[in-house]
Every structure is written in C-alpha cells, then in structure tokens.
C-alpha cells in the first residue's frame, strides 16, 4: 500500500540519521511508519460508524451499516495489533523506536484511540463490563501520550520535523477520551479529558501552525496530517455535545464556528492533497470526515429538528462514499505492495 517515493520520504537519509542522534537507528526502518499508519484504517471505519450511530438516533437509520463498520474496524484492529505486537517481540525496542520516530511517532496513539471508540460502542451492549475496557484504553492513551510528550520536550525532535500529525494524540485523542468517559457516565472525568484536549489544542496547535507557516513544506507523507486541523474541532464538538445535552450554548457555538473554518481550510488545501500519490496514509483523512459527519447530524437534529432530513443524509452519504472510495483504492495498492517492498529491500 506504499510506493517507493513515499517510503523514501518516510525514511531519513543516512546523512540525516548521522546528524540526528535523538533518532534511534532502528527508527529508520521503513516498516515503522506503515505499521502504525495502518491503524488509520480501523480508526476511519470506527469514525464513520459513529456517523451512522448518530444517524440511527436522529434519522432512524438502520443499525446494520453501523455494526458492519464497527465489526470491520474491530477485526482489523485486532489483526493489526496482533501483527504489530509479534513484530515488536521479534525486534527488541521496536515500539520505543517507532514512538521516537520523528514522522511515525504520533501515530502510535492510534492503537489505544481505536480501542476507546470500539469499547465505547460495544459497551452499550455490556453495561456492567463495558466501562473497564474503555478506562483501560484511555489509560493506555494517556501513557503513550506522556511518553511522546516527554520525548518531545527533552529535545527528541527538531522543529523542522514537526508536522500536523503531532496534534492527533494530544488533541483529538483526548477529545475522544472525553467521549469515552461520557459513554460510561463518568462526566467529571469526561470534562477533565476535555480540558486536556483543549489545553494541548492551544499549545500544540500553536507550535504546529508556527512550524507550518515558517519552516517550509512538510514531507509529502506527512501532509495527510493536515486533516488533524479538522479532526480537532470535530471531536471537540462531539465531546462537548454528548456531555452537555440540551440547548446549544455559547461554547458549542464557538466550537462549531471553528469547525466550519477548518472545514473551509480543508477545501482550500485540496489542490495540495491532489498532488500526493495515493498510499495507505490517505486513511488518515477518513476519521476527520466521519467525525465531522457525526457532529453535523447531531447538530442538525438539535438546532434544526424541522429541517429536511435530506441535509443530514447527504452529509452522511458523502462521508460514506469518501471512505468507500479510499477503501476501493486501497485494494490494488495492497496487492502491489509486496512487490514494491521487495524491490526496495533489494536496493
């Protein structure tokens, strides 16, 4: 699912590795980035499943699309996690090396992040037991995030290596944790997690934006991370809405305004996205799209209950078509990937 140009962009040159002692040599193995970015597939499927869940509650949508999406996300997540663990057992320090990889590191948070979404969904069927997996995955996300932050603030990364994906674990990650806490009726913990996400949205959002505005272009493989600018307000809006049911207040309106601007920005950078060769990294786009559809459906149901359902169905249909389109393009690249990797390793 990755072409030679993308892998070359993901792997630091020999000179870069020699001049960057903070990056372990094992982190330069080209398997690190693809191994972690693959978790964007179940993340995107679960994100779209959340959109269909909102449609079931607000539009009377059938349950089967939601369950198929969550079922596929669960299966892929379990398989990918097992494969990743096996790979880690074969190579000592593999996870630590991936965590410290300047490009791949932030995507380590995808593993517990998907777990939170799945446990929040399936917890409704096992209310007596569903809280424990959700709390465990949130704790895992907190540990991974703490490791990342400790690495970042102790000189582990250069300003030039920072990309928008650095927002994912600390901003959307904790907004999703807030949603998970709300699903198990832990409202105080949900507000604490929301506060963490809001804090790092301000801090890391500033750092990443300054880097993008003053440090030149990021590597092509990292440009998909620009979708984090949409994921942050989308997940923040959902987290606030589910923890504050009822009439829309000032905070919700403010967050919605941010989401609208970030959505417009994504439209403006479409020409940049179109220049990128298709890889599995495109799955990173699917979660923000699914989360935005999820919130849009909830917003319409809350603020415009008499509006025609066609608006909400159109948004959900576009999000579903987008994700299915990414999936359809993934199949041929998945078939070609072994041949490409073989050619790379023979060089």
């Amino acid at each position: 699912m990755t072409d030679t140009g993308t892998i070359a962009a993901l792997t630091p040159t020999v000179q870069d590795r020699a001049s960057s002692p903070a990056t372990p040599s094992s982190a330069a193995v080209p398997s690190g980035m693809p191994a972690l970015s693959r978790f964007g597939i179940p993340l995107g499927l679960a994100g779209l499943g959340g959109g269909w869940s909102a449609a079931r509650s607000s539009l009377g949508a059938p349950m089967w699309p939601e369950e198929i999406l969550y079922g596929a996300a669960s299966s892929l997540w379990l398989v990918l996690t097992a494969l990743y663990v096996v790979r880690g057992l074969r190579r000592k320090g593999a996870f630590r090396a991936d965590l410290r990889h300047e490009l791949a590191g932030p995507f380590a948070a995808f593993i517990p992040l998907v777990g939170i979404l799945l446990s929040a969904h399936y917890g409704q069927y096992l209310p007596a037991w569903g809280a424990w997996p959700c709390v465990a995955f949130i704790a895992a996300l907190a540990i991974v995030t703490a490791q990342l932050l400790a690495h970042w603030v102790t000189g582990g990364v250069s300003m030039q290596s920072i990309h928008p994906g650095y927002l994912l674990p600390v901003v959307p990650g904790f907004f999703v944790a807030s949603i998970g806490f709300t699903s198990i009726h832990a409202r105080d913990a949900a507000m604490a997690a929301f506060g963490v996400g809001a804090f790092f949205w301000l801090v890391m959002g500033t750092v990443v934006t300054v880097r993008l505005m003053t440090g030149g272009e990021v590597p092509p493989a990292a440009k998909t991370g620009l979708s984090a600018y949409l994921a942050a307000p989308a997940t923040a809006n959902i987290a606030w809405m589910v923890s504050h049911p009822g009439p829309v207040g000032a905070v919700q309106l403010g967050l919605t305004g941010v989401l609208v601007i970030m959505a417009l920005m994504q439209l403006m950078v479409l020409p940049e996205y179109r220049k990128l060769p298709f890889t599995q990294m495109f799955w990173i786009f699917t979660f923000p799209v699914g989360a935005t559809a999820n919130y849009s459906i909830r917003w319409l149901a809350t603020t415009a209950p008499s509006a025609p359902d066609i608006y909400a169905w159109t948004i959900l249909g576009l999000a579903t078509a987008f994700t299915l389109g990414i999936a359809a393009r993934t199949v041929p690249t998945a078939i070609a990937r072994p041949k490409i990797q073989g050619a790379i390793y023979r060089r």
Side-chain angles (χ1 to χ4, degrees), residues 170-171 174-175 192-204 236 255:
V170 293
V171 184
F174 278 93
F175 288 142
F194 188 92
V196 175
F199 172 78
F200 283 110
W201 195 1
L202 175 62
V203 173
M204 287 302 298
L255 291 172

Side-chain angles (χ1 to χ4, degrees), residues 6-82:
T6 302
I7 292 182
L10 298 178
T11 308
T13 64
V14 175
Q15 183 179 358
D16 292 335
R17 293 196 295 269
S19 61
S20 180
T23 304
S25 59
S26 57
V29 176
S31 61
M33 185 75 160
L36 290 174
S37 64
R38 286 190 196 106
F39 286 94
I41 302 176
L43 181 62
L45 293 174
L48 182 59
W52 277 95
S53 179
R56 176 167 58 86
S57 301
S58 304
L59 305 174
M63 184 180 290
W64 62 265
E66 169 190 354
E67 295 303 331
I68 287 176
L69 288 165
Y70 276 113
S74 301
S75 300
L76 283 170
W77 179 75
L78 288 171
V79 170
L80 291 173
T81 301

Side-chain angles (χ1 to χ4, degrees), residues 124-158:
Q124 63 183 318
Y125 301 116
L126 296 169
W129 302 95
W132 295 104
C134 188
V135 171
F137 286 124
I138 293 173
L141 175 67
I143 292 171
V144 170
T145 301
Q147 289 178 297
L148 287 169
L149 288 170
H151 178 58
W152 297 345
V153 301
T154 55
V157 295
S158 63

